[in-house]
Amino acid sequence: MDTEEKEFYNAVLIAAAIIGFIMLYFIVSMIMQHRKSRRLSKDRILAEIKTLENERRRIASDLHDEIGPLLSTVKFQIAHLDGGTDEMQHLIRSSGKHIDTIIQRMREISTDLMPYMLERKGLVWAIQDFINRIQQNGALKIVFKHHLNKRLTADIELNVYRIVQEILHNTIKHAKANLLTIVLEENDGVLRLQTTDNGIGFDFQEVVRQNSGLGLLNLQSRIEVMKGTVRMPLLNNGKGVTYTFEIPVKGDKK
């Protein structure tokens, strides 16, 4: 091989090395940018969830600490009005009953916004309490099976509770089901939540396309910030809906 050929091959090798280096640089840059974008997306979702929960806590506190006592005061004042006629006495009693209904409904809304049972006794107690309240008002039978013998971190307990809330509301509003089974268990550092109803099912892609699937997207967002996974139906099979969530909880408090 003469000198010109050697120089040519060396130039080709150098050019190939430079092109390879440039390609490697762009590949690494794209990977790093993708990771950064995912990190920023997760941080954004987490910030939105925290903002939402703080606003729920504030509203629940206002209802419980301010509006509740105010309504009780109004009821007390109405009860002590001078009911000179039978019609007036009937109006006073009727007004008192209406205020009792408002107070009861307000307490339910406050509890939904901020489940105090969750803070005091944990996830299982909070879910059971929510189920008990739901079953008083409808024909949906809910079977709750659980095997969870420890408290989890506050963020995980709250996110899982919100997921159960969302699924229950969706089942009542859309599924046309009369039975919902909820299974909650923890094995080898993984929390597994599975819900199954016997309703009509739905088309996940169609729901999202119509922009009516914000609740489903919210489920996915909460799972993402917990570094978990979710399996949900993609097509309407007419045989109900099953969700399966798996969330790493190793290292959470006992």
Side-chain angles (χ1 to χ4, degrees), residues 142-186:
I142 305 170
V143 177
F144 180 36
K145 304 175 183 179
H146 54 84
H147 181 68
L148 183 65
N149 299 318
K150 66 177 184 178
R151 292 294 303 267
L152 308 173
T153 63
D155 285 344
I156 288 180
E157 288 194 340
L158 182 56
N159 279 316
V160 173
Y161 180 82
R162 294 300 186 205
I163 288 171
V164 172
Q165 265 190 321
E166 183 67 36
I167 290 174
L168 267 167
H169 287 312
N170 285 345
T171 303
I172 292 170
K173 287 178 63 177
H174 307 296
K176 297 182 180 179
N178 56 32
L179 175 64
L180 173 68
T181 301
I182 302 173
V183 179
L184 181 69
E185 56 189 358
E186 188 267 331

Coordinates of all heavy atoms in Angstrom, one line a residue, residues 142-186:
I142 N -70.1 -3.4 47.5 CA -68.7 -3.3 47.5 C -68.1 -4.3 48.4 O -68.4 -4.3 49.6 CB -68.2 -1.9 47.9 CG1 -68.9 -0.8 47.0 CG2 -66.7 -1.7 47.7 CD1 -68.7 0.6 47.4
V143 N -67.2 -5.2 47.9 CA -66.5 -6.1 48.7 C -65.0 -5.7 48.8 O -64.3 -5.5 47.8 CB -66.6 -7.5 48.1 CG1 -65.8 -8.6 48.9 CG2 -68.0 -8.0 48.0
F144 N -64.6 -5.5 50.0 CA -63.2 -5.0 50.3 C -62.4 -6.1 51.0 O -62.7 -6.4 52.1 CB -63.3 -3.7 51.1 CG -61.9 -3.1 51.4 CD1 -60.9 -3.2 50.5 CD2 -61.7 -2.5 52.6 CE1 -59.6 -2.6 50.8 CE2 -60.4 -1.9 52.9 CZ -59.4 -2.0 52.0
K145 N -61.4 -6.6 50.3 CA -60.5 -7.6 50.9 C -59.1 -6.9 51.0 O -58.6 -6.3 50.1 CB -60.4 -8.8 50.0 CG -61.7 -9.5 49.7 CD -61.6 -10.6 48.7 CE -62.9 -11.2 48.3 NZ -62.8 -12.3 47.3
H146 N -58.5 -7.1 52.2 CA -57.2 -6.5 52.4 C -56.2 -7.4 53.2 O -56.7 -8.1 54.1 CB -57.4 -5.1 53.0 CG -58.1 -5.2 54.3 ND1 -57.6 -5.5 55.5 CD2 -59.5 -5.0 54.6 CE1 -58.5 -5.4 56.5 NE2 -59.7 -5.1 55.9
H147 N -55.0 -7.2 52.9 CA -53.9 -7.9 53.7 C -52.8 -6.9 53.8 O -51.8 -6.9 53.0 CB -53.5 -9.2 53.0 CG -52.4 -9.9 53.8 ND1 -52.6 -10.5 55.0 CD2 -51.1 -10.1 53.5 CE1 -51.5 -11.0 55.5 NE2 -50.6 -10.8 54.6
L148 N -52.9 -5.9 54.7 CA -51.9 -4.8 54.8 C -51.8 -4.6 56.3 O -52.7 -4.1 57.0 CB -52.4 -3.6 54.1 CG -51.5 -2.4 54.1 CD1 -50.2 -2.7 53.4 CD2 -52.1 -1.1 53.5
N149 N -50.6 -4.9 56.9 CA -50.4 -4.9 58.3 C -49.5 -3.8 58.8 O -49.0 -3.8 59.9 CB -49.9 -6.2 58.8 CG -50.8 -7.4 58.5 OD1 -52.0 -7.3 58.7 ND2 -50.2 -8.5 58.0
K150 N -49.3 -2.8 57.9 CA -48.4 -1.7 58.3 C -48.9 -0.4 57.7 O -49.6 -0.4 56.7 CB -47.0 -1.9 57.9 CG -46.8 -2.0 56.4 CD -45.3 -2.2 56.0 CE -45.1 -2.1 54.5 NZ -43.7 -2.2 54.2
R151 N -48.5 0.7 58.3 CA -48.7 2.0 57.7 C -47.7 2.3 56.7 O -46.6 1.9 56.8 CB -48.6 3.1 58.8 CG -49.7 3.1 59.9 CD -51.1 3.4 59.3 NE -51.2 4.7 58.7 CZ -51.5 5.9 59.2 NH1 -51.8 5.9 60.5 NH2 -51.6 7.0 58.6
L152 N -48.2 3.0 55.6 CA -47.3 3.4 54.5 C -47.0 4.9 54.7 O -47.5 5.6 55.6 CB -47.9 3.2 53.2 CG -48.5 1.7 53.0 CD1 -49.3 1.6 51.7 CD2 -47.3 0.7 53.0
T153 N -46.2 5.5 53.8 CA -45.9 6.9 53.9 C -47.2 7.7 53.6 O -48.1 7.2 53.0 CB -44.8 7.3 52.9 OG1 -45.3 7.1 51.6 CG2 -43.5 6.5 53.1
A154 N -47.2 8.9 54.1 CA -48.4 9.7 54.0 C -48.8 9.9 52.5 O -50.0 9.9 52.2 CB -48.2 11.0 54.7
D155 N -47.8 10.2 51.7 CA -48.0 10.4 50.3 C -48.6 9.2 49.6 O -49.6 9.3 48.8 CB -46.7 10.8 49.6 CG -46.3 12.3 49.9 OD1 -47.2 13.0 50.4 OD2 -45.2 12.6 49.6
I156 N -48.1 8.0 49.9 CA -48.6 6.8 49.2 C -50.0 6.5 49.7 O -50.9 6.2 48.9 CB -47.7 5.6 49.5 CG1 -46.4 5.8 48.7 CG2 -48.4 4.3 49.1 CD1 -45.4 4.6 48.9
E157 N -50.3 6.6 51.0 CA -51.6 6.4 51.5 C -52.6 7.3 50.9 O -53.7 6.9 50.5 CB -51.6 6.5 53.0 CG -50.9 5.3 53.7 CD -51.2 5.3 55.2 OE1 -51.6 6.3 55.8 OE2 -51.0 4.2 55.8
L158 N -52.3 8.6 50.8 CA -53.2 9.6 50.2 C -53.4 9.3 48.8 O -54.6 9.3 48.3 CB -52.6 11.0 50.4 CG -53.6 12.1 49.9 CD1 -54.9 12.1 50.6 CD2 -52.9 13.5 50.2
N159 N -52.4 9.0 48.0 CA -52.6 8.8 46.6 C -53.4 7.5 46.3 O -54.3 7.5 45.4 CB -51.2 8.7 45.9 CG -50.6 10.0 45.6 OD1 -51.2 10.9 45.1 ND2 -49.3 10.2 45.9
V160 N -53.1 6.5 47.1 CA -53.9 5.2 46.9 C -55.4 5.5 47.3 O -56.3 5.0 46.6 CB -53.3 4.1 47.7 CG1 -54.2 2.8 47.7 CG2 -51.9 3.7 47.2
Y161 N -55.6 6.2 48.3 CA -57.0 6.5 48.7 C -57.7 7.3 47.6 O -58.9 7.0 47.3 CB -56.9 7.4 50.0 CG -58.3 7.7 50.5 CD1 -59.1 6.9 51.3 CD2 -58.8 9.0 50.3 CE1 -60.4 7.2 51.7 CE2 -60.1 9.4 50.7 CZ -60.9 8.5 51.4 OH -62.1 8.8 51.9
R162 N -57.0 8.3 47.0 CA -57.6 9.1 45.9 C -57.9 8.2 44.7 O -58.9 8.4 44.0 CB -56.7 10.2 45.5 CG -56.5 11.3 46.6 CD -57.8 12.0 47.0 NE -57.5 13.1 47.8 CZ -58.4 13.6 48.7 NH1 -59.6 13.0 48.8 NH2 -58.1 14.6 49.5
I163 N -57.0 7.2 44.5 CA -57.3 6.3 43.4 C -58.6 5.5 43.6 O -59.4 5.3 42.7 CB -56.1 5.4 43.2 CG1 -54.9 6.1 42.6 CG2 -56.4 4.2 42.3 CD1 -53.6 5.4 42.5
V164 N -58.7 5.0 44.8 CA -59.9 4.2 45.2 C -61.1 5.1 45.1 O -62.2 4.7 44.5 CB -59.8 3.6 46.6 CG1 -61.1 3.0 47.1 CG2 -58.7 2.6 46.7
Q165 N -61.0 6.3 45.5 CA -62.2 7.3 45.4 C -62.6 7.4 44.0 O -63.8 7.4 43.6 CB -61.7 8.6 46.0 CG -62.1 8.9 47.4 CD -61.9 10.4 47.8 OE1 -60.9 11.0 47.4 NE2 -62.8 10.9 48.6
E166 N -61.6 7.7 43.1 CA -61.9 7.9 41.7 C -62.6 6.7 41.0 O -63.5 6.8 40.3 CB -60.6 8.3 40.9 CG -60.8 8.6 39.5 CD -61.5 9.9 39.3 OE1 -61.3 10.9 40.1 OE2 -62.3 10.0 38.3
I167 N -62.0 5.5 41.3 CA -62.6 4.3 40.7 C -64.0 4.1 41.2 O -64.9 3.7 40.5 CB -61.7 3.1 41.1 CG1 -60.4 3.2 40.3 CG2 -62.4 1.8 40.7 CD1 -59.4 2.1 40.6
L168 N -64.3 4.3 42.5 CA -65.6 4.2 43.1 C -66.6 5.1 42.4 O -67.7 4.7 42.0 CB -65.6 4.4 44.6 CG -65.4 3.1 45.4 CD1 -65.1 3.5 46.9 CD2 -66.7 2.3 45.4
H169 N -66.2 6.4 42.3 CA -67.1 7.4 41.6 C -67.3 7.0 40.2 O -68.5 7.1 39.7 CB -66.5 8.8 41.7 CG -66.5 9.4 43.1 ND1 -67.7 9.3 43.9 CD2 -65.6 10.0 43.9 CE1 -67.4 9.9 45.0 NE2 -66.2 10.3 45.1
N170 N -66.3 6.6 39.5 CA -66.5 6.2 38.1 C -67.4 5.0 37.9 O -68.2 4.9 37.0 CB -65.1 5.9 37.4 CG -64.3 7.1 37.1 OD1 -64.8 8.2 37.1 ND2 -63.0 6.9 36.9
T171 N -67.3 4.0 38.8 CA -68.1 2.8 38.8 C -69.6 3.2 39.0 O -70.4 2.7 38.3 CB -67.6 1.8 39.9 OG1 -66.3 1.5 39.7 CG2 -68.5 0.5 39.8
I172 N -69.8 4.1 40.0 CA -71.2 4.5 40.3 C -71.8 5.2 39.1 O -72.9 5.0 38.8 CB -71.2 5.3 41.6 CG1 -70.9 4.4 42.8 CG2 -72.6 5.9 41.8 CD1 -70.6 5.1 44.1
K173 N -71.0 6.1 38.5 CA -71.5 7.0 37.5 C -71.7 6.4 36.1 O -72.6 6.6 35.4 CB -70.6 8.3 37.3 CG -70.7 9.3 38.5 CD -69.8 10.4 38.3 CE -70.1 11.2 37.0 NZ -69.3 12.4 36.9
H174 N -70.7 5.5 35.8 CA -70.6 5.0 34.4 C -70.8 3.5 34.2 O -71.2 3.1 33.1 CB -69.3 5.5 33.8 CG -69.0 6.9 33.9 ND1 -69.8 7.9 33.3 CD2 -68.1 7.6 34.5 CE1 -69.4 9.1 33.6 NE2 -68.3 9.0 34.3
A175 N -70.4 2.7 35.2 CA -70.2 1.3 34.9 C -71.5 0.5 34.8 O -71.6 -0.6 34.2 CB -69.4 0.7 36.0
K176 N -72.6 1.0 35.4 CA -73.9 0.3 35.5 C -73.7 -1.1 36.1 O -74.2 -2.1 35.7 CB -74.5 0.1 34.1 CG -74.9 1.4 33.5 CD -75.6 1.2 32.1 CE -75.9 2.6 31.5 NZ -76.6 2.4 30.2
A177 N -72.8 -1.1 37.2 CA -72.5 -2.3 37.9 C -73.2 -2.4 39.2 O -73.7 -1.4 39.8 CB -71.0 -2.4 38.2
N178 N -73.4 -3.6 39.7 CA -74.0 -3.8 41.1 C -73.0 -4.5 42.0 O -73.4 -4.7 43.2 CB -75.3 -4.6 41.0 CG -75.2 -5.9 40.3 OD1 -74.1 -6.6 40.4 ND2 -76.2 -6.4 39.6
L179 N -71.8 -4.7 41.5 CA -70.8 -5.4 42.4 C -69.4 -4.8 42.0 O -69.0 -4.8 40.9 CB -70.8 -6.9 42.3 CG -69.7 -7.6 43.0 CD1 -69.9 -7.4 44.5 CD2 -69.7 -9.1 42.7
L180 N -68.7 -4.4 43.1 CA -67.3 -3.9 42.9 C -66.5 -4.6 44.0 O -66.8 -4.6 45.1 CB -67.2 -2.4 43.0 CG -65.8 -1.9 43.0 CD1 -65.1 -2.0 41.7 CD2 -65.8 -0.4 43.4
T181 N -65.4 -5.3 43.5 CA -64.5 -5.9 44.5 C -63.2 -5.2 44.5 O -62.6 -4.9 43.4 CB -64.2 -7.4 44.0 OG1 -65.5 -8.1 44.0 CG2 -63.3 -8.1 45.0
I182 N -62.7 -4.9 45.7 CA -61.4 -4.2 45.9 C -60.5 -5.1 46.7 O -60.9 -5.5 47.8 CB -61.6 -2.8 46.6 CG1 -62.6 -1.9 45.8 CG2 -60.3 -2.1 46.8 CD1 -63.0 -0.7 46.6
V183 N -59.3 -5.3 46.2 CA -58.3 -6.1 46.9 C -57.1 -5.3 47.1 O -56.5 -4.7 46.1 CB -57.9 -7.4 46.1 CG1 -56.9 -8.2 46.8 CG2 -59.2 -8.2 45.8
L184 N -56.6 -5.2 48.3 CA -55.4 -4.4 48.7 C -54.5 -5.3 49.5 O -54.9 -5.8 50.5 CB -55.8 -3.2 49.5 CG -54.7 -2.2 49.9 CD1 -54.1 -1.5 48.7 CD2 -55.2 -1.2 50.9
E185 N -53.3 -5.5 49.0 CA -52.3 -6.4 49.7 C -50.9 -5.9 49.4 O -50.6 -5.2 48.4 CB -52.5 -7.8 49.2 CG -52.4 -8.0 47.7 CD -52.8 -9.4 47.3 OE1 -53.1 -10.2 48.2 OE2 -52.8 -9.7 46.1
E186 N -50.0 -6.3 50.3 CA -48.6 -5.9 50.2 C -47.7 -7.2 50.3 O -47.9 -7.9 51.3 CB -48.2 -4.9 51.2 CG -46.8 -4.3 51.1 CD -45.8 -5.1 51.9 OE1 -46.1 -5.6 52.9 OE2 -44.6 -5.1 51.5

